[in-house]
């Protein structure tokens, strides 16, 4: 998958180059280049900071089983792409503040406005930069994060295999065809351990229960259950059987298993959309997955909101405050906004709010506030 992502990114970059050249003027490229350099610097610094915090957290597991310092470093390295997605919006705000603030300190903003280039035009040049960044982020989320996250989990679980502290890292429930499947542990996509299968009749009554110590998952979707305890319920009659093995036709495909063992935030956006859609069609609850889908959808809107939020702080008249002070205040606003987004996500789960509203409303509010402050400063 990582090879595919590189080819896709190279192909996309080649296609976007003439489009960018046609849409962007030399002024757009000059402003966007400065903003992009600042964005990369901030995103790299924040990703490194949060990776360091994750590494410190992983140190608590070093020494358990075969989990070593090198294993912790590899885990943090493999999970770094997901952190890039998390820090992108606030990195865009701080990057814009730094880049446009540098223009202000060098009197370049004054020179641009003196030749008739409006402040809205300058912000528009940065907004154009958001388009290729959003496309690259989508490719990272679709092709890089899922395999990296899966490899990180697999290697960490293997290193901790002699310890019981991480035994349930991939436990999940699935439902289909009047059956519920619970798997405590997966061995990649080819095996599973500690499996429970509940079968129900049309009226909702339990008809059978199967527990298996382990299972071999075949490519055609058949599971060969090993060490089986099967209980069949027929009215008031219970029948218990112990079997060495039992074939079972699973309603969960191997591809779905590979995805569902990942946390929702590591699932590819397209697969996450399809899974949420299938849950809705089957009238099943998937609030955590739906919340994560809307969080991913809100990232482009958050980036646009952050770019717009930089305008009042960069272009506002000084009136006793330096550009550096304005930039500092703007950065604090971005950090507070990111915290507010996280709080809104938790309130979504606690108060049963609409996931789309919880994900999109903060960005819309920030955009509205940015426009208000910008107009107020130029009255």
């Amino acid at each position: 998958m990582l090879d595919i992502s590189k080819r896709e990114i190279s192909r996309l970059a080649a296609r976007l180059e003439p489009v960018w050249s046609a849409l962007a003027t030399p002024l757009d490229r000059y402003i966007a280049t400065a903003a992009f350099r600042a964005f990369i610097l901030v995103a790299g610094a924040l990703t490194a900071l949060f990776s360091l915090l994750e590494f410190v957290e992983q140190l608590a597991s070093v020494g358990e089983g075969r989990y070593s310092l090198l294993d912790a470093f590899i885990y943090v390295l493999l999970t770094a792409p997901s952190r890039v997605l998390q820090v992108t919006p606030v990195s865009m705000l701080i990057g814009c503040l730094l880049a446009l603030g540098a223009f202000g300190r060098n009197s370049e903003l004054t020179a641009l406005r003196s030749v008739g280039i409006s402040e809205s035009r300058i912000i528009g040049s940065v907004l154009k930069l958001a388009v290729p960044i959003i496309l690259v982020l989508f490719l990272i989320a679709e092709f890089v994060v899922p395999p990296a996250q899966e490899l990180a989990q697999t290697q960490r679980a293997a290193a901790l295999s002699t310890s019981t502290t991480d035994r349930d890292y991939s436990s999940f429930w699935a439902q289909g065809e009047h059956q519920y499947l619970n798997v405590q542990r997966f061995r990649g996509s080819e095996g599973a351990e500690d499996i429970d299968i509940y079968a129900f009749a049309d009226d909702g009554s339990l008809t059978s229960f199967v527990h298996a110590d382990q299972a071999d998952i075949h490519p055609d979707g058949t599971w060969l259950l090993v060490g089986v305890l099967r209980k069949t319920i027929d009215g008031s009659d219970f029948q218990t059987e112990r079997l060495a093995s039992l074939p079972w036709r699973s309603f969960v495909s191997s591809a779905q298993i590979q995805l569902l063992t990942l946390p929702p935030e590591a699932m590819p956006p397209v697969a996450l959309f399809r899974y949420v859609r299938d849950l809705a069609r089957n009238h099943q609850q998937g609030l955590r997955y739906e919340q994560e889908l809307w969080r991913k959808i809100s990232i482009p809107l958050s980036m646009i909101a952050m770019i717009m939020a930089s305008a009042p702080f960069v272009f506002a008249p000084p009136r006793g405050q330096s550009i550096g002070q304005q930039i500092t205040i703007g950065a604090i606003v971005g950090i507070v906004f990111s915290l507010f987004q996280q709080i809104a996500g938790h309130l979504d789960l606690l108060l049963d709010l609409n996931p789309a509203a919880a994900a999109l409303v903060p960005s819309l509010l920030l955009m509205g506030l940015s426009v208000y402050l910008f107009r107020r400063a130029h009255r």
Side-chain angles (χ1 to χ4, degrees), residues 305-306 308-312 365-375:
M306 290 295 195
M308 294 178 63
S310 67
L365 289 176
L366 181 61
M367 292 172 67
L369 180 62
S370 301
V371 173
Y372 169 76
L373 292 176
F374 183 76
R375 290 181 175 179

Side-chain angles (χ1 to χ4, degrees), residues 268-301:
V270 174
L272 182 61
F273 168 76
R274 290 173 178 170
Y275 184 64
V276 171
R277 182 187 59 187
D278 291 341
L279 289 177
R281 287 177 178 175
N282 296 325
H283 306 287
Q284 299 176 24
Q285 292 293 329
L287 182 59
R288 191 176 170 210
Y289 292 95
E290 189 175 355
Q291 181 191 39
E292 181 59 28
L293 173 64
W294 282 106
R295 191 193 69 81
K296 291 183 184 296
I297 293 174
S298 71
I299 290 178
L301 188 62

Side-chain angles (χ1 to χ4, degrees), residues 45-362:
L46 290 179
T47 301
L49 174 62
F50 287 111
S51 296
L52 177 61
L53 295 176
E54 178 63 30
F55 181 73
V56 172
E57 184 177 344
Q58 291 299 314
L59 291 179
S61 300
V62 172
E64 298 180 6
R66 294 177 288 103
Y67 197 63
S68 65
L69 198 63
L70 179 59
D71 293 321
F73 177 78
I74 293 175
Y75 177 83
V76 171
L77 190 64
L78 289 173
T79 54
S82 63
R83 292 185 201 96
V84 174
L85 301 179
Q86 296 171 3
V87 304
T88 293
V90 69
S91 298
M92 179 59 73
L93 171 62
I94 298 176
C96 288
L97 291 172
L98 291 175
L100 298 180
F103 287 167
R105 288 192 300 271
N106 297 330
S107 301
E108 291 179 86
L109 291 180
T110 303
L112 290 173
R113 283 181 287 194
S114 66
V115 296
I117 297 174
S118 67
E119 296 163 347
S120 300
R121 174 74 173 78
I122 296 172
I123 290 295
S125 299
V126 183
L127 286 173
K128 291 180 180 180
L129 171 66
V131 176
I133 292 179
I134 290 171
L135 291 175
V136 171
L137 289 178
F138 172 78
L139 291 176
I140 293 174
E142 184 71 21
F143 298 110
V144 178
V145 172
Q149 192 79 23
E150 181 184 9
L151 182 60
Q153 285 191 354
T154 301
Q155 291 187 350
R156 186 176 189 275
L160 291 168
S161 59
T162 59
S163 172
T164 60
T165 57
D166 201 48
R167 279 299 197 177
D168 61 342
Y169 78 99
S170 59
S171 174
F172 82 97
W173 286 83
Q175 186 253 341
E177 301 177 2
H178 299 292
Q179 298 179 89
Y180 281 85
L181 169 68
N182 176 237
V183 179
Q184 292 299 318
R185 293 174 296 279
F186 278 102
R187 303 190 307 269
S189 60
E190 299 178 354
E193 297 177 358
D194 201 0
I195 306 130
D196 293 323
I197 304 169
Y198 303 85
F200 294 85
D202 292 337
D203 61 0
S205 60
L206 181 66
T207 59
S208 69
F209 165 74
V210 175
H211 173 81
D213 295 334
Q214 58 182 344
D216 295 326
I217 303 174
H218 298 164
D220 63 355
T222 301
W223 292 30
L224 182 61
L225 306 177
V226 179
V228 178
L229 170 65
R230 179 169 65 180
K231 294 186 177 183
T232 305
I233 304 172
D234 185 8
S236 59
D237 296 331
F238 291 81
Q239 182 179 358
T240 302
E241 301 175 272
R242 292 190 177 275
L243 305 171
S245 63
L246 177 69
W248 176 65
R249 182 70 181 180
S250 174
F251 56 85
V252 183
S253 67
S254 298
Q256 288 176 319
I257 291 172
Q258 191 172 12
L259 291 174
L260 293 176
T261 54
L262 294 173
E265 58 271 15
M267 292 180 65
V270 174
L272 182 61
F273 168 76
R274 290 173 178 170
Y275 184 64
V276 171
R277 182 187 59 187
D278 291 341
L279 289 177
R281 287 177 178 175
N282 296 325
H283 306 287
Q284 299 176 24
Q285 292 293 329
L287 182 59
R288 191 176 170 210
Y289 292 95
E290 189 175 355
Q291 181 191 39
E292 181 59 28
L293 173 64
W294 282 106
R295 191 193 69 81
K296 291 183 184 296
I297 293 174
S298 71
I299 290 178
L301 188 62
S302 298
M303 291 180 61
I304 295 173
M306 290 295 195
I307 293 173
M308 294 178 63
S310 67
F313 299 99
V314 173
F315 298 117
R319 294 180 182 178
Q321 282 188 333
S322 66
I323 293 179
Q325 291 175 319
Q326 295 277 12
I327 291 174
T328 302
I329 295 173
I332 293 174
V333 169
I335 294 172
V336 171
F337 171 76
S338 297
L339 293 175
F340 179 70
Q341 275 190 315
Q342 295 180 21
I343 293 173
H346 292 298
L347 289 177
D348 174 17
L349 293 174
L350 293 174
L351 304 179
D352 196 23
L353 302 177
N354 184 283
L360 301 179
V361 166

